[in-house]
Amino acid sequence: MAPLRHGLVETAPPRDHGKKRRGRVKEAALAEADALISLPPDALDNILVRLGIRDAVRTSALSRVWRHRWEALPYLDLHFPRLGGDEGAPAGLWSLYGILLRCPGRVRLFHAELDGPYAGRVHDWLFVLSRRGVEILDLSFNDSFPTLPSSVFSCSRLTSLSLFGCAIPLLPAGFVAFPDLKKLTLANVHLEDYGEYQLEEIIRTSPLLEYLVLTDVFIDGEHIREWVIRAPNLRHLTICSENYYGWILKDLTCLNSAVIDWFDNVVHHDFAKFLSGLVQVRKLLVVSFNAPSAMIPKIILCTFHNLKSLKLRMHFYL
């Protein structure tokens, strides 16, 4: 240290250790990113898809090499959950069009929890998704209960379809089938008059269907008409309903498990006839809040060919 006038001593400026540390961290991150970019394309695609679309897009900030890497993904999994802290708006849904414009790959999965302002744009999304060969479609409407556009039936490559809180339109002219559909879940949905025949047609023309859930599916009309659930590859069936809608079960030769959750007014119908369609089941759960005592002998006397587990959850009365 050199002496200065008036007895002062010159000191060296303080070192910014924090800045150097941040620099080293950044350099390490860039080195790691460069190592990742050298992976085989299939491995890198798998990593980016598992990150989720928002984090995959963020990788464009790593370096110039990464800037457009996410746009080369051969397929996208798009999740847009609802965030309570953002006035219920689906997280990131505003960026959907930008993502689809920049990434031409197919959309393997589309999951969105929608509220009123977004429900009106579903038709445009479904049109684009059908052209991108969407395989898994999961739509949940929290407050608006809209009627889905008929373009939902144009998604012919679906393997899984889940709908909650909406009305389902009539089948359009020229509807063929969902030939690859393996899972169908309908919860709190509404169908127009003769909607039972529409469900029958969808199930009948889905030869690979393995998993079927019908929970609070309401059908218009004053008269109950019998219709058939025929699915030779079905492995699980859930029917939860406050009303009887004339279900008949046939050709469920592969059925492994079933959950039947009915109100007492449903059980009063020909329950024995309904049970005859479940004779192949291995695991059966029957739930009824107020079960008539006559219901128990019908279950016990039914001849089940492969039954390994039977559970009854009900409040008995005379």
Side-chain angles (χ1 to χ4, degrees), residues 215-228:
T215 299
D216 294 331
V217 175
F218 302 98
I219 302 175
D220 276 348
E222 298 180 358
H223 304 289
I224 298 171
R225 293 171 285 268
E226 291 187 341
W227 62 286
V228 177

Side-chain angles (χ1 to χ4, degrees), residues 82-90 115-118 143:
R82 188 177 185 182
L83 294 182
D86 190 20
E87 298 182 355
D115 52 14
Y118 287 94
D143 53 15

Side-chain angles (χ1 to χ4, degrees), residues 60-128:
S60 60
L62 291 175
S63 68
R64 184 174 299 177
V65 179
W66 281 89
R67 185 168 299 170
H68 301 288
R69 180 60 185 81
W70 71 272
E71 298 175 22
L73 287 173
Y75 63 89
L76 297 173
D77 285 354
L78 301 176
H79 295 267
F80 298 103
R82 188 177 185 182
L83 294 182
D86 190 20
E87 298 182 355
L93 192 55
W94 54 270
S95 62
L96 175 61
Y97 286 120
I99 292 171
L100 294 177
L101 285 173
R102 294 182 62 181
C103 185
R106 67 184 176 90
V107 177
R108 184 175 65 173
L109 178 150
F110 183 80
H111 163 79
E113 299 177 29
L114 306 171
D115 52 14
Y118 287 94
R121 303 172 68 180
V122 172
H123 172 72
D124 295 334
W125 294 337
L126 288 175
F127 177 75
V128 175

